[in-house]
Amino acid sequence: MNRIAITGTLLVLLNAGLAGAVRPLAAQTFPTDNPVLKAIWAEGMENSRAYPLAQALMDSIGPRLTGTPGHHAANEWAVSMFKTWGVPARNEEYGTWVGWRRGISHIDLVSPRVRSLDGMMLAWSPGTGGAVEAAAVALPWFEGSDELGNWLPTVNGKFVLVGPAESSCRPSSNWEEFATGASFEAHQAARQEAQAKWRQQVGDLGGTDSLIAGLEGAGAAGVITSSWSSGWGARRIFSADTKAIPTVDLGCEDYGLVYRLAQHGQNPVLRIEAEAEFLGEVPVFNTIAELRGSELPNEYILLGAHLDSWDGGSGATDNGTGTVTMMEAMRILKAVYPNPRRTILVGLWGAEEQGLIGSRAFNEDHQEVMDGLQAAFNQDNGTGRVTGISMQGLTGAGSHFGHWLSLIPGEITGHIDLSIPGSPSGGGSDHASFVCEGAPSFMLGSLNWGYFQYTWHTNLDTFDKVVFDDVKNNAVLTAMLAYLASEDAERIPRDRRVMPLNPRTGEQREWPVCQPARRSWDGS
């Protein structure tokens, strides 16, 4: 057997081990003999489906950008999985969005030397219409819009790099560990100065939209950006600012290479082939699953996570892991608690990344759920185990959580801090779509595992970053909370704290106001 074959065999064995992995944890500290809680633990820890759910969602379906075929495929897949478990589910249309399909992105430096570059087209960018080979130029520093106007005719048919290159693509932690104090401070100061200078430049030129419009009007072949997350190999992949010409994003190192070549007059030439197809206006959906309540069907437990993602990676920790947590929690509940006292819903929200749109629309469309909401639990900040829950300013919520958590095994609750009464969240994730109603809606905050530097909206947000022990922990916690909230003899009161004064202005802070859902693409 050759070396490649041996390696492949080892990988198969390793993956097979991981699929059963995450070995069941023995709960040693059940504080109660409650048979449902014990059954939830056994089902979630010994019969977990987290791994196959995550693998199918993240590897096979992949990224789920709003309005793309990938997002629609995820909606259909989720409904089919719920129905496989005997859970009624539906895709509920809440609006429309621009349909867009990503194709390949091939970006090569062809002169003064040959190198395939690390990069991809940004979301909702037009494609190149085939391979385009052209010179790359860096946007110079201008004193004002007049200088920009004089320079713009020179970009016709060229790729334009907008923004300065990083002087170093090492994370700051690497500099801090190895550099002298003086060297580290100088590096940090130079980076901050360059960023400030660039912000000032963009402002002087009338803003990003004006700058990009000028490049489009001058006939540039495309725009090249770099949104580095300050971590090894990680870059943020957002939406294109252009509407008429392609925009591609390069990794920190390769952007720096092309930028320096242009800056020093070494005439870089790029060959870019980027495919994209606009699909017109398409419907967009939330996926809703339901276990109808047997005694109080008009009171609700809502388990939420957003199904959409950016598409630089595969949307693993933002928010594939939250999606898997809520789906797995519902699977567990159907298996061991199929006739809940109150109705239990799962909402897999659309377009969270465009402004909590799906969950806001659900709020507007389902006042009966808002009126009857006992508790909503949302998870959306990475793959880590839950370590913090804020009461969101509800003064009576803490006693309920205190009681619920007292019944859950210490292997789970030992990690969790409660913030009582906490402060209401005005954004950040979908729980805020209901907090603004004064409804009992809570974020299950988790350990970040490098989330903000390495996986949040980056090309590195992929299946391999999932920590399945933590996802299993969160699914079991969520199922237990849903069960206990459903069985609770009392409703969570909606009494709200008086917000503290703003320390900067001395003014009275107010509760967040519910924002209307933006139900269609407006071109921005």
Side-chain angles (χ1 to χ4, degrees):
M1 187 178 293
N2 62 37
R3 185 173 181 180
I4 294 176
I6 292 172
T7 302
T9 301
L10 289 173
L11 286 173
V12 168
L13 292 173
L14 176 61
N15 286 332
L18 285 174
V22 220
R23 296 179 299 279
L25 303 173
Q28 301 298 321
T29 56
F30 264 109
T32 174
D33 288 330
N34 184 302
V36 177
L37 290 176
K38 289 189 172 183
I40 288 172
W41 178 280
E43 182 65 26
M45 293 298 183
E46 298 172 13
N47 194 31
S48 175
R49 297 292 186 271
Y51 184 100
L53 285 172
Q55 193 278 326
L57 178 64
M58 299 165 200
D59 283 347
S60 184
I61 295 173
R64 302 166 301 281
L65 187 71
T66 298
T68 62
H71 191 283
H72 184 69
N75 288 130
E76 296 296 317
W77 168 81
V79 166
S80 71
M81 293 307 303
F82 283 122
K83 290 183 176 179
T84 296
W85 304 327
V87 178
R90 65 188 184 273
N91 285 321
E92 191 172 278
E93 184 176 345
Y94 63 82
T96 62
W97 207 253
V98 62
W100 185 79
R101 178 185 285 117
R102 176 187 293 282
I104 61 168
S105 295
H106 291 164
I107 309 169
D108 301 301
L109 175 69
V110 296
S111 180
R113 62 185 177 95
V114 174
R115 174 179 167 81
S116 291
L117 303 180
D118 174 29
M120 67 187 298
M121 177 176 52
L122 292 184
W124 297 298
S125 168
T128 56
V132 176
E133 190 170 304
V137 296
L139 191 75
W141 294 104
F142 299 111
E143 293 300 324
S145 56
D146 288 344
E147 287 190 12
L148 171 64
N150 293 333
W151 175 80
L152 280 175
T154 69
V155 306
N156 185 46
K158 298 177 181 177
F159 295 115
V160 182
L161 294 93
V162 293
E166 295 284 345
S167 61
S168 172
C169 297
R170 292 180 181 276
S172 293
S173 59
N174 201 238
W175 275 87
E176 190 169 16
E177 180 178 0
F178 295 111
T180 65
S183 179
F184 174 63
E185 290 175 7
H187 165 72
Q188 292 290 82
R191 185 165 188 256
Q192 292 167 6
E193 181 182 357
Q195 291 172 342
K197 185 179 178 182
W198 171 247
R199 288 192 295 270
Q200 180 65 48
Q201 163 103 142
V202 172
D204 291 343
L205 298 178
T208 302
D209 289 345
S210 177
L211 173 60
I212 297 301
L215 296 174
E216 290 181 353
V223 172
I224 302 174
T225 67
S226 182
S227 296
W228 186 46
S229 74
S230 301
W232 292 112
R235 64 179 189 276
R236 306 221 187 270
I237 309 294
F238 293 111
S239 57
D241 290 316
T242 65
K243 301 298 181 291
I245 57 175
T247 301
V248 300
D249 188 272
L250 292 181
C252 183
E253 292 83 0
D254 283 344
Y255 186 87
L257 165 63
V258 179
Y259 186 92
R260 290 188 300 273
L261 290 172
Q263 188 179 42
H264 293 286
Q266 292 159 352
N267 304 319
V269 176
L270 302 182
R271 184 181 187 275
I272 300 179
E273 182 177 10
E275 295 178 353
E277 180 183 4
F278 285 92
L279 305 174
E281 191 175 22
V282 300
V284 283
F285 304 89
N286 293 318
T287 296
I288 308 298
E290 178 176 351
L291 287 179
R292 191 71 175 162
S294 57
E295 296 181 32
L296 299 170
N298 296 323
E299 296 183 15
Y300 299 89
I301 315 299
L302 177 58
L303 312 182
H306 71 88
L307 184 58
D308 68 303
S309 74
W310 289 103
D311 69 339
S314 51
T317 68
D318 188 21
N319 186 32
T321 46
T323 296
V324 169
T325 292
M326 298 307 163
M327 293 182 69
E328 173 69 354
M330 186 62 120
R331 185 195 68 80
I332 294 168
L333 289 165
K334 174 61 178 177
V336 307
Y337 182 59
N339 298 300
R341 183 167 184 254
R342 294 179 169 92
T343 296
I344 300 176
L345 301 175
V346 170
L348 302 181
W349 312 120
E352 187 270 352
E353 300 293 3
Q354 282 66 59
L356 318 185
I357 295 176
S359 55
R360 285 177 173 171
F362 185 86
N363 177 346
E364 294 173 1
D365 295 343
H366 292 280
Q367 191 60 49
E368 79 283 2
V369 175
M370 294 300 100
D371 292 342
L373 190 63
Q374 164 73 335
F377 305 105
N378 186 70
Q379 215 281 315
D380 174 26
N381 59 332
T383 187
R385 63 188 178 274
V386 172
T387 56
I389 309 173
S390 170
M391 300 302 96
Q392 297 295 330
L394 297 178
T395 57
S399 60
H400 289 261
F401 272 89
H403 175 62
W404 299 338
L405 293 182
S406 74
L407 303 176
I408 294 174
E411 287 81 359
I412 294 176
T413 61
H415 305 299
I416 300 174
D417 291 325
L418 297 182
S419 177
I420 303 173
S423 294
S425 172
S429 192
D430 293 295
H431 65 292
S433 295
F434 315 119
V435 169
C436 61
E437 288 267 3
S441 179
F442 309 99
M443 178 71 161
L444 303 180
S446 71
L447 292 177
N448 71 68
W449 282 83
Y451 174 72
F452 291 104
Q453 186 170 32
Y454 281 102
T455 62
W456 177 61
H457 301 170
T458 77
N459 58 309
L460 301 185
D461 192 12
T462 47
F463 175 85
D464 55 287
K465 308 306 185 306
V466 178
V467 180
F468 282 98
D469 276 337
D470 285 5
V471 174
K472 288 172 63 176
N473 171 91
N474 295 347
V476 169
L477 168 65
T478 302
M480 288 181 174
L481 287 174
Y483 160 67
L484 292 167
S486 173
E487 290 291 315
D488 201 322
E490 303 293 334
R491 289 280 298 273
I492 294 179
R494 301 195 179 195
D495 303 280
R496 306 196 294 188
R497 68 176 295 185
V498 175
M499 294 296 289
L501 299 179
N502 186 317
R504 290 188 300 104
T505 66
E507 296 177 351
Q508 180 68 53
R509 286 178 170 168
E510 301 293 337
W511 271 65
V513 176
C514 288
Q515 300 297 318
R518 175 185 167 204
R519 295 182 183 250
S520 64
W521 169 275
D522 64 4
S524 62

